[in-house]
Amino acid sequence: MEAYVLDWVNLLLRWAHVIVAIAWIGSSFYFVFLDNSLTKPSAPDLVEKGVDGELWAVHGGGFYHPQKYMVAPKSLPPNLHWFYWESYSTWLTGFALFTVLYLYQAGTFLIDRNLYAWSPAGAIAAALGFLVVFWAVYDAICRVFGQREGGDRIVGIGVTITVILASWLACQLFAGRAAFLLVGAMLATAMSANVFFWIIPGQRTVMAQMKAGQPVDPVHGQRAKQRSVHNTYFTLPVLIAMLSNHYGFLYGAQHNWLVLVLVMLAGALIRHSFVARHKALVAGKRVPWEYAVVGTALIVALALWLAPAPAAKSASAAPPSFAQVRALVEQRCAMCHNEQVISKGVQLHTPELIAKNAQALYQQAVVLKAMPLNNATQITDEERSLLGRWYEAGAASR
């Protein structure tokens, strides 16, 4: 019953997390597009009001005319919408989901004793440490170098190196599936912390200066803009890291840390291509699609690198007998899928149940390589191949 309840909690938290993440990332993408698509106003009344950029758009049967004040308007509007709950809700639901699935079940999902045999408490502390330490290092890099001339390039290099080191270390300490998710959570934590510690406080400071009749310090807007841009570059790497836990061929690869780094780099390059596109269209320049091309080429190269070797055409590749399959399932799978332990609602302790769940066996153990979880039973590639040949030959139970 506990496993059933956890499945429901997992489902509902995942659903909520996806909903609020769509809202947050969608608004982030929109405002980055808006900032990079604004044109200088020509109307005297807009110039008089202090409007620095404007955009005309059509959507949903109506016309929209958003305007941006570079520092702040001359007076505060009566109705001012804030964008922060999308960020906070995404982090809170994501952390709750991470807690329920990985921290609460650390011995199963967080630890791979073939990599590092430590206690659940130690693994949990280290996982939480990843979130805190990365934010501290990233924030320090931004504080020290962010306001210098050419600082954006230095920050970009520093953050990239930090992410690479964190990805390598996570894959040495945690189960591959957890390591990928942890790196994504690490970046997502930095994104939400940017909103909580810099973007929103900066906006509140600007409002306080306006209410007090003081000159508005433009540094608050500059810092908020810098962190907002970082957030938009983090989005695609975070998304692929989060989705990766469904694909064992990624986190189960021999050099999985490098796979993670490359696939996140591909996402960042593709995102940069779209950010640069907005600027190029406004300036009437060529759209730099080469970044997206390089990102796509990286994904193709990864797919080729991770592709399984073709099965050898020999007598040994003949469909195995069901007795071989049953012996394999009893050794590698049945300990978590039997009459007493019914993991994910699947049982494999009789010939009929093995045949009934043949497709699930094939998908999880052969195609995705997601099972056995963390390869706890040490199934080999040859054994996965045996299951594959059995399924592709019809998966007969006799």
Side-chain angles (χ1 to χ4, degrees):
M1 180 58 72
E2 181 184 2
Y4 179 69
V5 172
L6 281 175
D7 277 345
W8 267 106
V9 173
N10 189 342
L11 170 63
L12 296 177
L13 280 175
R14 194 181 299 271
W15 192 12
H17 182 56
V18 169
I19 291 170
V20 292
I22 289 172
W24 183 20
I25 293 174
S27 62
S28 173
F29 279 15
Y30 173 72
F31 278 105
V32 169
F33 154 77
L34 184 61
D35 277 344
N36 291 325
S37 302
L38 295 172
T39 57
K40 290 287 184 180
S42 56
D45 60 323
L46 295 182
V47 175
E48 173 64 22
K49 288 194 301 182
V51 174
D52 185 72
E54 64 174 340
L55 173 74
W56 280 96
V58 59
H59 179 75
F63 290 87
Y64 294 80
H65 187 205
Q67 303 164 3
K68 180 177 181 178
Y69 297 80
M70 193 57 197
V71 179
K74 295 179 180 179
S75 61
L76 287 173
N79 297 312
L80 185 63
H81 183 81
W82 292 76
F83 288 85
Y84 55 85
W85 278 114
E86 298 90 342
S87 168
Y88 300 163
S89 299
T90 301
W91 191 87
L92 289 170
T93 54
F95 186 75
L97 186 61
F98 182 65
T99 300
V100 168
L101 186 56
Y102 286 87
L103 302 186
Y104 181 70
Q105 305 178 84
T108 301
F109 288 93
L110 202 56
I111 298 172
D112 182 348
R113 299 195 180 280
N114 297 305
L115 290 173
Y116 197 84
W118 51 4
S119 67
I124 291 170
L128 295 176
F130 261 80
L131 307 184
V132 175
V133 172
F134 177 77
W135 159 249
V137 173
Y138 160 76
D139 188 56
I141 292 172
C142 293
R143 285 172 180 262
V144 173
F145 300 105
Q147 301 304 311
R148 299 183 182 183
E149 185 177 351
D152 286 342
R153 182 180 297 275
I154 298 173
V155 169
I157 294 172
V159 172
T160 299
I161 293 173
T162 304
V163 171
I164 292 172
L165 291 175
S167 300
W168 176 84
L169 185 58
C171 290
Q172 308 309 306
L173 297 178
F174 301 100
R177 183 181 183 190
F180 275 45
L181 191 69
L182 184 59
V183 171
M186 178 187 82
L187 292 172
T189 296
M191 291 173 65
S192 201
N194 278 339
V195 177
F196 185 80
F197 289 110
W198 287 102
I199 297 174
I200 296 303
Q203 292 172 345
R204 293 193 187 282
T205 300
V206 167
M207 291 181 63
Q209 290 173 339
M210 292 179 66
K211 290 178 180 179
Q214 301 172 350
V216 175
D217 189 345
V219 72
H220 301 294
Q222 293 166 1
R223 288 172 177 167
K225 172 67 173 175
Q226 180 191 57
R227 299 301 179 105
S228 181
V229 169
H230 293 175
N231 279 2
T232 203
Y233 281 102
F234 284 161
T235 50
L236 296 192
V238 166
L239 286 174
I240 191 61
M242 297 302 184
L243 291 173
S244 67
N245 71 95
H246 297 286
Y247 302 95
F249 64 85
L250 290 176
Y251 61 77
Q254 183 178 4
H255 302 290
N256 55 354
W257 69 272
L258 183 57
V259 173
L260 176 59
V261 168
L262 291 178
V263 77
M264 289 195 300
L265 175 60
L269 287 169
I270 291 170
R271 181 68 190 126
H272 176 68
S273 183
F274 282 91
V275 172
R277 172 182 178 271
H278 304 322
K279 295 180 179 180
L281 290 177
V282 171
K285 298 180 179 178
R286 182 184 67 84
V287 175
W289 288 116
E290 56 268 22
Y291 294 103
V293 172
V294 173
T296 303
L298 269 178
I299 295 173
V300 172
L302 273 174
L304 295 174
W305 175 31
L306 300 177
K313 300 294 184 180
S314 66
S316 62
S321 67
F322 183 75
Q324 291 175 284
V325 172
R326 184 177 182 184
L328 171 58
V329 171
E330 288 177 350
Q331 181 183 9
R332 306 299 191 191
C333 312
M335 65 176 62
C336 295
H337 301 279
N338 54 62
E339 195 170 9
Q340 288 76 38
V341 183
I342 313 174
S343 181
K344 300 299 180 182
V346 176
Q347 294 175 293
L348 298 168
H349 58 283
T350 69
E352 292 73 22
L353 288 170
I354 293 174
K356 176 183 176 182
N357 292 292
Q359 184 178 24
L361 270 169
Y362 180 72
Q363 289 176 342
Q364 296 297 318
V366 181
V367 178
L368 298 178
K369 295 185 178 180
M371 292 293 164
L373 186 62
N374 297 337
N375 200 13
T377 58
Q378 297 298 293
I379 190 172
T380 66
D381 288 340
E382 290 75 16
E383 289 170 333
R384 293 186 193 276
S385 176
L386 185 147
L387 281 175
R389 298 199 309 274
W390 167 70
Y391 178 80
E392 289 163 1
S397 61
R398 290 290 184 272

